[in-house]
Amino acid sequence: MPGMWIIRALALGLLIGVAPLPLLWIQSGDEFEHLALATLIGLDVGQFFSVPIALTICAWEISPWRKRPRPAPPGFVLGGITLTFGALVVALGLVVMRWLDGRPSGVGDPDGETAMAALAVLSGGAALIVGMVILAHRNAAVRRSRKVSVPAP
């Protein structure tokens, strides 16, 4: 079942991508839309680095030459957090894309910023899909475990 551990690493990589968000002081305006745009750009940059690192660590953890036992498969909490995070990123990305289509003031290159917002929408969509896969897999595992019949003594 190494596929679920890779999904877990992908979910963690997507979630850890929020690490550079304290660097939001680079925003160009004072409005909410400028803050949302800076947030999405920071998220894109963070995920650009965190997802490959998380997948590399996962590949090392599930490798056959590793002496420690493999990590547990992901559960409902990680799936729910990833699903919620993905929905939030998609919603914020769509709002920013709609704002950028109106050619706002204070944005130097609206086409480049729109591409960054679209990339954030795609990463949010990936987080949504990963969260749904984790929840569906965990739900199926719980259902299978409840169907186990134990013979009476």
Side-chain angles (χ1 to χ4, degrees):
M1 188 73 58
M4 283 312 294
W5 291 308
I6 293 171
I7 294 289
R8 174 190 209 171
L10 183 60
L12 291 175
L14 289 169
L15 292 172
I16 293 171
V18 301
L21 290 186
L23 303 175
L24 292 179
W25 54 270
I26 60 172
Q27 66 184 358
S28 60
D30 293 333
E31 299 173 5
F32 168 75
E33 289 85 5
H34 290 282
L35 178 66
L37 179 61
T39 302
L40 291 177
I41 291 173
L43 182 68
D44 287 341
V45 169
Q47 288 177 345
F48 180 76
F49 292 108
S50 66
V51 170
I53 290 171
L55 290 174
T56 303
I57 291 171
C58 174
W60 171 253
E61 287 293 322
I62 65 173
S63 64
W65 57 84
R66 186 86 166 136
K67 300 294 182 201
R68 292 177 44 195
R70 291 183 176 173
F76 287 115
V77 174
L78 181 62
I81 289 172
T82 306
L83 185 74
T84 305
F85 173 75
L88 180 68
V89 170
V90 166
L92 188 62
L94 291 175
V95 166
V96 169
M97 285 177 61
R98 191 173 306 127
W99 172 69
L100 287 169
D101 284 340
R103 301 293 179 199
S105 63
V107 176
D109 181 21
D111 294 332
E113 308 296 344
T114 302
M116 292 301 285
L119 186 62
V121 169
L122 289 176
S123 73
L128 272 170
I129 291 170
V130 166
M132 285 190 278
V133 166
I134 290 171
L135 289 175
H137 180 269
R138 204 55 167 143
N139 191 24
V142 167
R143 287 179 187 245
R144 278 193 310 267
S145 70
R146 289 185 182 162
K147 289 184 179 179
V148 174
S149 61
V150 179

